[in-house]
Amino acid sequence: MELFFLLMLLVVMAGALGSGYPVAFALPGAAILTVGLAAVTGILFEGSSAAYFANGTPGQWLTSGVTNLRGVYWEPERDTLIAIPLFIFMGIMLQRSKIAEDLLVNMAQLFGPIPGGLGISVIVVGALLAATTGIVGATVVAMGMISLPAMMRNGYSNSLSSGVIAASGTLGQIIPPSIVLIILADQLASAVDQAGTSRQELYKVATGEVSMPSEFAIVSTSAGDMFLGALVPGLLLVAIYILYVLAIAIFRPKMAPAVPYEGRYDAAFLGNVLLAMVPPLALILLVLGSIITGIATVNQAGAIGAAGALIMAGYRLHPEGRSGRFIPTIVAAVGLILVGWTVSNYNTNILNMQTASDRMGVTLAAIGVALIVLSIVWSGVRAYYNEDALTGVMVETAKTTSLVFIILLGAAMLTAAFRAFGGEELVKHFLEGLPGGFWTKFIIVMTVIFVLGFFLDFIEIAVVVVPIVAPILLADPQANVSAVWLGVMIGLNLQTSFLTPPFGFALFYLRGVAPAAVKTIQIYKGVVAFILLQLAALVIVAFNPPLVNYLPARTSLTAETAPPPVNPALQYCIEDYIMASFDARGDRIAAAITQARGLDVSYLPEDLQDDWTDGLDKAETVPGLVTDIEAIQRRLTEGAVAYRPEHTTVRALQRDMLIRTKEIADLRLRASRGFGDSEAQTARADELQAEVDALQAQIPETWQATQDTYNAINKENETARNLYRRTVDQAYEPLIELKAVIASADALAALREPIAALAADAPTMDGAMADARFKEVESMLGDVDGGRDIRGLLSDARGEIDSRSPDPDRAMEYLDEAQALFESELTWRARANEELLPGITAYDDAIKDTIGLRLQPRLPRAQALEVAACSATHRDISLSF
């Protein structure tokens, strides 16, 4: 019966959508109707409302959609959707203020004389509009109304013109900031959690280990990561489009002729071009640049974009000829410059104001912010009174945003109902039962999404399909794809489907504004070449994951908030880099260790001497450990040749057995509770058990021995890597400690007078006074590296004064000993600073990017780039499962 209600859910939803019923109400309506009917039927025929649900109760599934949506706002890490109305406002405001039209006209005049220049201009403007609006329908309509008549007048082929406009208009799907990328990031964040749980269970079943190593975990994504990941594929599409138009213009010039500019290329023309191009480009740079550099979150960048679009509309909507057109923009620019200069030169933390300079910085920053706010308000007033633009933009933004969030709520309820009837498990079992591994599942899913793109908008696909299929694809350890890569691939796929005849949404948008002279068949013919180009881009990105993964990884590892090198998830790539470094310059590292051993450390305290010597001993063993790891890695690679085929066969059998075992447990549970025909369910469970036994018999007799052999090598690899990590840490820690102690000489010297004052006043102190004054100095010593022994002597002296039987003489002995140790510490530190520190620094410079890399506060830039390049490639980890 669960299958019946699952089918009913899909039929009701498809019927509602096909009849033209609003999507925002068709999705939750189908869920409520089906869940309610299943509950009522269960009560009538089985005496329980939960009888026809795979798991859970009707109330649980009806409310889960609301609960899921509420979680978006209650969870601080999932506030991405707040950026949606901001970017929608930005895009609509730029279109209403005709800035997009100015951009296209000037770009066409600039590039028109080049063969295919007008088409190239349309593509470039489409990319720029995509980077400012992210709304496909609005971009296609705007481009069709502005550029299609111009291309027709200048002799461009109708089919080529239609293809260029439709394809460039859909770039808003993939070029950031894009609404679809924001929604995909939100959905994938939840999918990563589910996939992580599935992979953990898979690891436990395969290995028997309770905890899975962190390096096998699935990395989550954010809207910022999605923007960075989509940037290169988006630019790749633009480049492919431009090359195609150039090729057409060269080999078939009649289809894309040059368009000479009738005016003059003078200062006035240059001024118009700069006025049309610089503000939108500056806005794009501010929005994307603030995200890429880590200055702003996606939500903050959306606010920057909305404010920038309003300021630009302020001068564009102001009637020409009237004075003061650019004053609000100038005020904003002055405010931005003032804020930027102030932040760079002053401490603007209000809670930390201590000096007059700090107060000056806060004041200047406040003035800069006030100027920016003044400019925004001024521009808003202009937009309100000129062409009623602000009201129209606000209404459209509210409508679009409301539609998005209502669909999100409805889709959450529909997905919950789909899971309630076991739909997710069916999809999972279907995909996992396919031969060919990850890529077969991936192609099937992408094909389904492609077809759904004919009928559904990207929002419905992102919030209905992605939560179901993404956890299955992300959990697969064979491909081990990143969430960013999967999201970008889905975005590229949706963009392609929006162009495909006869249902592509972009084609309907263009048909609605195209002149009657442009035939529908010409529009269809025009987009075919661009569909093929997009499919080519899809294949390129599929087989070159660094195109997507590198920028997010690079930004993460080079940011101020980058994870430390000791982070477990980075170890594979860090060790890969270190092995290559030892292969390239191992002799120099060994020479640096030998030279460090020759340094005179005889005058150091005994514990520091011992630690230094032990550290060098450990460092000398590191090259051998690296060699061992490389040898084991080669053995793993060689062993995988024989292990992989048998592993693949057995894991497929075990997967089929697990599917049947779960179904058996469900059937026996339902039979025991009296749900449905108990005899039929028991008989079906027995049949499935027979199938499980048959599958078990197909497992090769050699499997256990083959697995044990490979796992033994894998265990050696894990042991060798753990030994290497402990060794390099123990080799580098003494160097860190010694440098810190030597560097603290000035801080220690500053305590001479407080310690001397304690010694002078100690004979006259009572217990309370000694407790207060000694603890103050002890606290100061606690902040000085290597001051522990002096602090201990002072603590002993305090104890003698503050005890029930004070012993002043003994206290003075401790104080004298502390002062003597203090002078000794200063003496050897001063000598070490002159004689030893240069040699230690040279040794540190030689090993800090290899032996000492794990204990650096963050990855140095060169190493961060190497690790980013390594982690941008998907690594097959299936043999560990």
Side-chain angles (χ1 to χ4, degrees), residues 529-599:
F530 289 94
I531 293 170
L532 296 176
L533 292 175
Q534 287 189 346
L535 291 175
L538 200 64
V539 172
I540 291 171
V541 175
F543 291 101
N544 294 276
L547 292 175
V548 174
N549 294 328
Y550 179 70
L551 268 183
R554 176 189 174 118
T555 303
S556 171
L557 294 175
T558 56
E560 291 294 329
T561 56
V566 76
N567 187 301
L570 302 178
Q571 296 315 298
Y572 178 85
C573 287
I574 287 178
E575 286 160 15
D576 190 55
Y577 161 77
I578 290 174
M579 289 178 201
S581 298
F582 269 99
D583 290 340
R585 50 191 174 92
D587 294 341
R588 279 179 282 170
I589 297 172
I593 297 171
T594 302
Q595 189 174 2
R597 194 176 285 282
L599 296 173

Side-chain angles (χ1 to χ4, degrees), residues 434-772:
L434 293 171
F438 170 83
W439 288 105
T440 301
K441 292 186 282 187
F442 179 73
I443 291 171
I444 293 293
V445 167
M446 295 297 278
T447 302
V448 170
I449 290 175
F450 180 81
V451 174
L452 288 176
F454 298 160
F455 310 103
L456 300 178
D457 198 358
F458 68 87
I459 301 174
E460 294 94 81
I461 295 175
V463 298
V464 174
V465 180
V466 172
I468 296 170
V469 300
I472 301 169
L473 297 176
L474 291 173
D476 193 310
Q478 181 185 14
N480 193 29
V481 299
S482 67
V484 177
W485 178 85
L486 181 60
V488 171
M489 290 296 292
I490 292 173
L492 281 170
N493 189 10
L494 287 174
Q495 181 180 351
T496 305
S497 69
F498 283 4
L499 275 181
T500 306
F503 306 111
F505 283 4
L507 308 181
F508 291 125
Y509 293 139
L510 182 59
R511 176 68 276 173
V513 297
V518 179
K519 305 301 181 184
T520 301
I521 191 65
Q522 292 177 320
I523 296 177
Y524 288 174
K525 287 173 59 178
V527 298
V528 169
F530 289 94
I531 293 170
L532 296 176
L533 292 175
Q534 287 189 346
L535 291 175
L538 200 64
V539 172
I540 291 171
V541 175
F543 291 101
N544 294 276
L547 292 175
V548 174
N549 294 328
Y550 179 70
L551 268 183
R554 176 189 174 118
T555 303
S556 171
L557 294 175
T558 56
E560 291 294 329
T561 56
V566 76
N567 187 301
L570 302 178
Q571 296 315 298
Y572 178 85
C573 287
I574 287 178
E575 286 160 15
D576 190 55
Y577 161 77
I578 290 174
M579 289 178 201
S581 298
F582 269 99
D583 290 340
R585 50 191 174 92
D587 294 341
R588 279 179 282 170
I589 297 172
I593 297 171
T594 302
Q595 189 174 2
R597 194 176 285 282
L599 296 173
D600 181 14
V601 295
S602 59
Y603 53 88
L604 299 184
E606 187 174 349
D607 59 338
L608 288 179
Q609 288 186 48
D610 293 341
D611 289 346
W612 175 256
T613 304
D614 289 344
L616 292 176
D617 292 340
K618 296 286 187 184
E620 286 182 337
T621 66
V622 171
L625 296 176
V626 170
T627 302
D628 291 343
I629 292 174
E630 290 177 327
I632 295 172
Q633 197 65 43
R634 285 192 294 271
R635 288 171 56 203
L636 272 176
T637 303
E638 293 166 0
V641 175
Y643 181 58
R644 187 179 295 280
E646 199 164 332
H647 175 274
T648 303
T649 300
V650 173
R651 291 294 182 242
L653 291 171
Q654 290 176 338
R655 180 193 61 224
D656 293 342
M657 290 163 58
L658 182 62
I659 293 172
R660 287 162 174 78
T661 301
K662 288 183 176 179
E663 189 174 349
I664 290 169
D666 182 57
L667 287 169
R668 296 199 188 281
L669 178 64
R670 293 176 63 81
S672 66
R673 293 182 176 179
F675 293 158
D677 187 342
S678 298
E679 291 185 5
Q681 290 172 346
T682 301
R684 176 57 180 161
D686 292 339
E687 290 177 10
L688 290 174
Q689 184 61 54
E691 293 179 12
V692 170
D693 295 338
L695 291 170
Q696 179 69 44
Q698 295 178 35
I699 295 178
E701 295 180 0
T702 58
W703 163 243
Q704 194 60 52
T706 306
Q707 185 183 33
D708 291 343
T709 301
Y710 185 83
N711 284 347
I713 306 174
N714 212 2
K715 190 67 177 178
E716 286 183 50
N717 179 58
E718 183 181 341
T719 302
R721 288 180 182 271
N722 287 335
L723 177 59
Y724 161 81
R725 293 164 191 170
R726 286 196 305 270
T727 302
V728 292
D729 291 350
Q730 292 166 0
Y732 195 67
E733 282 169 350
L735 188 150
I736 297 174
E737 181 184 5
L738 186 54
K739 286 186 69 174
V741 172
I742 295 173
S744 65
D746 291 339
L748 183 63
L751 297 178
R752 175 181 274 111
E753 289 187 10
I755 293 174
L758 286 180
D761 299 339
T764 62
M765 290 184 187
D766 58 16
M769 182 181 293
D771 192 56

